[in-house]
Structure formats: C-alpha cells, structure tokens
Amino acid sequence: MSVTKADFPFGPVPPAEALQIMRAIRTDRPMTKVSFPIGGDCWMVHRHETCRAVLEDRRFVRKPFTEGRPVPYAFEFPAFLTQTLQFMDPPDHTRFRRLVSKAFTLRRVERLRGKVQEVADELVDAMVDTGPPANLVDSFALRLPIRVIGDMLGVPEEGRANFVQWSHAMLATSGMTEEEVTDAMTSLYLYLQELMTRKRTDPQDDLLSALVAARDADDQLTDDEIIQIAMLLVGGGFDNTANFIELGVQALLADPAQHAALMADIDGVIPTAVEEILRHGGFALGREMTGSAGLVPFVASEDVELDGVLIKAGDAVAVDLATANHDDDVFTGSDAFDVTRARNPHLTLSHGIHHCLGAPLARLELQVGIATLFRRLPELKLAGEPVYLDGVLTGGMTDLPITW
C-alpha cells in the first residue's frame, strides 16, 4: 500500500473542518507517514481499533529513546522524562508499575473524594466573595488539582508555590532556554530529595511516604525512582486535569443544549459528561487543529504489518488519539459533543500497559470540580475569549474569563 507523506499538524484549521479532515483520513488510509515540525518522520495511526492494537502490541517499544540509539524521530525528549514509566518496556515497566500501583490504588484515591469536594467548595466560596468576573484558570482550574496532588504527595504549602513553574519547565517546547529548564528541574529534584528524606524518618499518611515504603518481597523502589515518580506527578498530576476542567467548562457554556442536559441532573450526568469532555477534547471548544498525536511515539522492534501497511523495524509510530476518539465505527455520531453518551471507550488516558495510573484521580477531580462549579454557580457564563498557553506540550489556557 503506498502512503503519501504529509506535514503534521494538519492545519491549523477550524474545529469543524478538522473533524472533516479526520474523517477523510480514516476513510482514505489507516495511517499517515508524517513529518513533524520539530523534525523527524513518524507513522501516525488513526483508526481506533488499530490504535488499541499498537498500544497492546509488545513489539512496539520505547527503549530506543532511552538507550541513545538512533531513531527516525528528531525530537530529543528531556532526560528526566526518558526515565519514567512512559518510556519503559517490560520487564522494567512491569516491575515499576507494580510497585507504584501499590501506593496509587483506587481505595487511596476514593478516600480523597471528601477532600476534593471540600477544596472545590472553598475555591468557589473565594470566587463568590471576590465577585465576578473571574479567571477560571487561576481561581479554580489550576488551584483544585494543585491542592489535591500536593496533599496526596504530602508536599507542604510552601513547596507548592513553584508547581506551575516546574511543570511548564518539564513540558516546555519553546520560550525557555536549556539553562532555565535545567535550573528548574534541578530545583525540583533537590526539593523532592530533601522532602523524601523527611518522609523516611517521619512518615505520614501520604503518597510520598507510601512510595518510600512500597515494596514487593525483597524488591523496593530506589531513591531515584521515587523522585522520578514524584517529579512526574508534579508535571502531570495537575496540568492535564486543569486543562480539561477549563475545556469542559468552556464546552458546556458554549453549547446550550448540553449545558441544559447537565443542569437537569448534574449528579446523574457528570460521569458521562466527563468522559465526553475527555473524548471530544478541543473540538467542542473552538480550538484549532494544532496536533493530537500521543506525545511519546513507539518504535517497532521488528517488521510489523498494520492494516496492510508494513511498519519496518526502527520506524517510529504514534497513535493519533483525537482521530481515534472520533472513529465513526466506534462512536455513534462521533462529531457531536454529547454529555449523555453511554458508550465511550475513548483513548485519551491511553490503553494497555501504558494506561494512565492517575486516571481514577483525574476522573474524580473532573467530576467533583465541574459538578461543583455548575451546582454552586447556576448562572455561570463565559465573559470573554480564552487565552491559550503556548510553548508547553500539554497546552492549556492562561485565562478563561467567566461571570455569574
């Protein structure tokens, strides 16, 4: 099967046009050979079934990114990131995930529900006291998950002041020099190292203390591994959640029918609404199509045939999550933003061994956070255009003006 190489991202274009492009791509071909603006070629897989197959297939690995071997993908991931679960393959991945999951259980997350609700109510109280208008990003969307992940890790209040700076340094694509990124990462590493030492001598009921104690028979996490996990949680434990709170509120306020559906039964609808916000992403929200591939590609460890296309050993392969999440073979009326969608096997939180360990926490925060905003502020409205954040892998906003 011949495949024409294209530049990625396919745009920028308005969301409605982006959805048409994705539909055409899935119809015309199962995957595209793309050139990234940061350099390098990569196969981009578009269909939901094929994306799942890649995420389940152990022949697609990430070791080449961590072992210094040449791969046909020019982007150099930060050294810190290449030491995390995202870049590991079995058996190292299996061991690491098993130990981490002991400290990141559903039970531990569910115990946070009351705390998340308390924090959400406190933040809304502060917004009401100050009065409208407000910037949802600074007043709520960032503050909620930062408070939660800070409490969960056991980071004192004074240690959380630099969370946003540290996270943006980890995920920076532009706007920061290499020296600035290195300084920020060194500062975070040293802070967590000192905090871990304190937890070892005086353990508390928090995740960092649990990671220090986590073990399986005679196996346990090393100090460096614990710090890597904590760094990843600082970098990924609040930023994406904040982004989806912002995107979800914007999507609901921009669509009267979906807003009405939520308001008619907030507690009943919020679970499916959150899944639809995760699935539909920026396409319900007026964002341009600037890119949606998984941030970390795989590399084929041997020749693999996918949907009639030969992927050669050494080729880089990325799953195109946005296109897969709009696959008409899987999602009825895939272009529609539908907060009551019952069947929603989206891949936003990945799949298989790389399924996000923090998924239960993200869902909990999104459900409680968004439901609290609409329950407490029934007259919530948009008060202006959002300002988007550039130069960071995860995107997001710096301002979402709201009033009530």
Side-chain angles (χ1 to χ4, degrees), residues 261-271 370-372 374-376:
L262 176 71
M263 296 303 292
D265 181 13
I266 293 177
D267 290 336
V269 172
I270 194 64
I370 294 173
T372 301
F374 283 95
R375 185 182 299 111
R376 294 282 310 276

Side-chain angles (χ1 to χ4, degrees), residues 168 171-176 389-395:
H168 288 174
L171 302 170
T173 58
S174 63
M176 295 185 72
L389 177 66
D390 295 320
V392 177
L393 281 172
T394 49

